[in-house]
Amino acid sequence: DGTAQYLPAVAVAPDGRVDVVYYDRRDDPNDVMTEVSLQSSYDGGKTFGHSLEVSDRAFDSDVSPGSVRGMPDLGDRLGLVSVNVGVLAMWTDTRAGTRQNNKQDVARAVVVIPPTPPWRRVAHDAAPVVAALGALLAAAATLRWLLWRRRQREPAATPPSVPTGS
């Protein structure tokens, strides 16, 4: 359609579902106003379901400190944590900014994903269930990081010594 979908973040839930979140300008023919979309695959990434907008409104991708030099930049990472019951997505969002002040914030959304589509976006201010899911996703991400750090600190196995002839 000539519009940009870019900077994907990919995560895999423990049950094997592959989730991708990305910046998405398909609803703006001028290719400036951006949403954040999510798509999931239940077959190891061979096919993906329909896109789901996880941002609750579009924001201007030209709002950034780089825009004064004609080089707007939303950053180079989106965050995504996937668990069997859903995802936590995070991204740079400019809805509180203007092209004059170039304000950017980090936004987030929790999306509950049933074992099969369709998905539904959960409002940012939804009840304690959202808070519990967010805490679960944060705990999963922290545990994953701690396990990674532990593996980094473990000494490498030393190869057996080879006797030398005397």
Side-chain angles (χ1 to χ4, degrees):
D1 64 5
T3 61
Q5 289 84 38
Y6 58 103
L7 288 177
V10 179
V12 179
D15 64 6
R17 187 191 68 244
V18 179
D19 299 311
V20 179
V21 67
Y22 54 92
Y23 289 119
D24 188 354
R25 296 185 193 157
R26 78 180 81 204
D27 289 337
D28 181 13
N30 295 320
D31 204 25
V32 174
M33 297 305 289
T34 304
E35 294 271 357
V36 174
S37 293
L38 168 74
Q39 288 183 255
S40 295
S41 171
Y42 292 85
D43 60 8
K46 292 177 185 156
T47 61
F48 283 83
H50 295 286
S51 65
L52 171 74
E53 291 178 353
V54 296
S55 50
D56 58 0
R57 71 177 201 197
F59 52 92
D60 189 338
S61 61
D62 284 343
V63 173
S64 80
S67 63
V68 296
R69 295 180 309 280
M71 299 169 42
D73 185 8
L74 290 173
D76 60 358
R77 301 279 192 282
L78 284 89
L80 181 63
V81 177
S82 295
V83 295
N84 291 347
V85 296
V87 301
L88 170 64
M90 296 185 299
W91 64 92
T92 303
D93 193 294
T94 65
R95 73 187 66 201
T98 65
R99 292 183 186 197
Q100 288 72 42
N101 68 16
N102 291 314
K103 181 180 182 198
Q104 296 181 332
D105 293 307
V106 175
R108 57 120 175 102
V110 173
V111 179
V112 175
I113 300 179
T116 58
W119 316 291
R120 65 182 175 90
R121 183 181 172 284
V122 178
H124 291 267
D125 58 348
V129 173
V130 172
L133 180 58
L136 176 64
L137 291 170
T142 301
L143 179 60
R144 189 174 181 183
W145 180 81
L146 288 171
L147 291 171
W148 175 83
R149 291 282 298 176
R150 182 178 178 191
R151 277 180 284 175
Q152 298 299 314
R153 291 184 181 157
E154 290 176 357
T158 56
S161 58
V162 178
T164 56
S166 26

